[in-house]
Amino acid sequence: MKTLQDLIDQTPDLVDHLYNDTISQYHKSRTGLLATLIAPEYTTWREEQRAWRETAVLFNQSHHMPVLFVKGRDARKLLEYLSPCTFSNLSTDRAKQYFCVTPRGHHVGDCVLNYYGEAEGFELISGMPVLNWVRFHGETGGYDVQMRFDPSTPYARDGQREKYRFQLEGPNARDILDEICEGGWPEIRFFHTAYVTIAGCRVHVLRHGMAGHAGAELSGPFAELDRVRDAILAAGEKRGLRQAGTRTYYSTPLEDGWIPYPLPGIYTGDELRAYREWLPADSWEANMQLGGSLYSRDIEDYYWTPSALGYENFVKFDHDFIGRAALEAQMQAPRRVKRVLRWHHDDVARIFASQTGDGPIYKAIDMPTSYYGWPQADELRSADGALIGMSQYCGYNINEREFLSLACVDEAFAEPGTEVVLTWGEVGGGSRKPHVERHDQTTIRATVHLAPFSKEAQEKLRAVI
């Protein structure tokens, strides 16, 4: 079997390959089986975005997120050693934002982790790079663990998943949940879990917000998907509930500030060669698709760190873990930190105007999501032209009526209100990616803001519902 390491050894320029020749899993899902399971829009993406701010919205997460189940005598030992996250507060009634780094402190991937007790073990939800990292170490590290991988629906046997998964949120979510849960909705703190009964089904609940607002993730046996969804829709009809399609779903990070799928830092370093030899050449990592104005021959220029992703507060030095020494050194050095960029309206209007009439045609800004790489990396420069970071995830939020992007910025330029300049469009008129049209590069002025951008999200994300 050809491996990722074989691909790297046989590819003269890995950045060029990932920039021009791969097709990402995201773009495959937009035209493949996943697109037939969940509508792009149930009404319009504008009304669906408004629903999470004004009434309530229901996201169907049942089909696109892979899951890894880990249990056994060494399950906790394995997961704790692989992550900077503390397990000192591990319990069955709370979840974790779980992530891993390489020995050099570069981000590998992240996911949501649930713990169901010693017998059932752990559930790691979404994030193929981190799931693969855990599987590799579980298989090769001499741990007494049992792992079961549940792939996303397009890759699942007979299209059957182990669990359905919904996200319900918005100002009317509490009333909907209170009606459909037997005995009413229990008070649950942010990122804590509980069980409720809906339509006679036992449902696991995680209290968090996908779109940055008070909400809950509901999951249970896949066979009960329709029964639970029908109960939610029936109760939500009189409360303005809207189902959200994939176009709306993929725009949620712009409101809650989570940066999805940064490039995993696993393509360099002899210490990771065994891992790259374990990964197949058709793996998720081998098909990451770089895009945007940042074009560097050094793939490490696309790597991320916990501070750049806003995970610095999750790093706890109360245990030994892979990458600990590197992260301790990072804490003492100048860093990049996560910020939201608000794009200047005049520059956005100029790019839209270039699509008509004479003159250069700039890279089109799609709505509601404008990114065209997976991951995307756009150059971010200071007013005097110095490279100070990269912008990754970008698009439009109708609740704020703003074009926004999520970025990592050098600390010296990260003060809210700082003016920066983003380069929009790819070098040389565009890459060979089939979904990228020929275009000219231009610049977009932007203002630095804290994440999340929305005051609504800042206030409501951690509210008890």
Side-chain angles (χ1 to χ4, degrees), residues 249-277:
Y249 179 82
Y250 287 122
S251 72
T252 57
L254 297 171
E255 188 127 351
D256 72 1
W258 173 66
I259 298 178
Y261 281 105
L263 188 75
I266 53 92
Y267 301 91
T268 50
D270 288 341
E271 70 276 12
L272 297 182
R273 185 178 184 90
Y275 180 53
R276 296 190 296 268
E277 291 174 340

Side-chain angles (χ1 to χ4, degrees), residues 352-386:
F352 274 101
S354 76
Q355 310 301 311
T356 62
D358 298 327
I361 300 177
Y362 302 124
K363 177 73 188 70
I365 299 178
D366 293 331
M367 298 168 68
T369 50
S370 307
Y371 59 91
Y372 53 91
W374 193 255
Q376 185 158 323
D378 287 317
E379 285 186 345
L380 193 62
R381 296 187 178 274
S382 63
D384 61 4

Side-chain angles (χ1 to χ4, degrees), residues 419-448:
E419 296 295 315
V420 297
V421 179
L422 182 152
T423 303
W424 181 248
E426 295 185 327
V427 297
S431 59
R432 296 191 296 269
K433 293 186 283 291
H435 56 275
V436 174
E437 77 280 11
R438 308 305 294 172
H439 61 271
D440 291 290
Q441 276 191 329
T442 188
T443 56
I444 299 173
R445 292 167 295 166
T447 305
V448 174

Side-chain angles (χ1 to χ4, degrees), residues 30 41 45-46 49 247 251 348 352 364-371 394-398 402-403:
R30 294 180 71 179
E41 296 168 287
W45 62 261
R46 292 172 174 84
Q49 278 193 352
R247 293 188 72 186
S251 72
V348 171
F352 274 101
I365 299 178
D366 293 331
M367 298 168 68
T369 50
S370 307
Y371 59 91
C394 52
Y396 176 74
N397 183 291
I398 198 169
E402 298 285 0
F403 284 88

Side-chain angles (χ1 to χ4, degrees), residues 142-284:
Y143 293 95
D144 181 6
V145 295
Q146 299 85 52
M147 297 182 292
R148 187 172 76 257
F149 179 58
D150 181 26
S152 58
T153 301
Y155 304 98
R157 182 177 300 176
D158 301 325
Q160 297 295 302
R161 303 296 308 279
E162 294 208 19
K163 293 184 178 182
Y164 67 81
R165 206 171 302 277
F166 298 118
Q167 176 72 23
L168 175 67
E169 63 184 272
N172 294 346
R174 169 62 186 259
D175 290 340
I176 295 170
L177 290 164
D178 203 42
E179 178 179 328
I180 63 177
C181 294
E182 292 184 13
W185 176 251
E187 298 291 336
I188 305 175
R189 294 173 56 198
F190 179 73
F191 241 69
H192 281 62
T193 63
Y195 282 97
V196 298
T197 300
I198 299 175
C201 303
R202 188 170 187 253
V203 178
H204 184 260
V205 174
L206 165 62
R207 165 58 196 98
H208 82 128
M210 266 293 304
H213 298 274
E217 180 180 286
L218 313 173
S219 62
F222 192 74
E224 297 173 354
L225 182 154
D226 290 336
R227 191 187 314 175
V228 173
R229 178 172 56 189
D230 289 348
I232 296 170
L233 295 177
E237 185 174 4
K238 56 184 174 291
R239 296 182 175 90
L241 174 67
R242 291 185 184 272
Q243 293 188 79
T246 54
R247 293 188 72 186
T248 308
Y249 179 82
Y250 287 122
S251 72
T252 57
L254 297 171
E255 188 127 351
D256 72 1
W258 173 66
I259 298 178
Y261 281 105
L263 188 75
I266 53 92
Y267 301 91
T268 50
D270 288 341
E271 70 276 12
L272 297 182
R273 185 178 184 90
Y275 180 53
R276 296 190 296 268
E277 291 174 340
W278 179 87
L279 285 168
D282 62 353
S283 63
W284 186 287

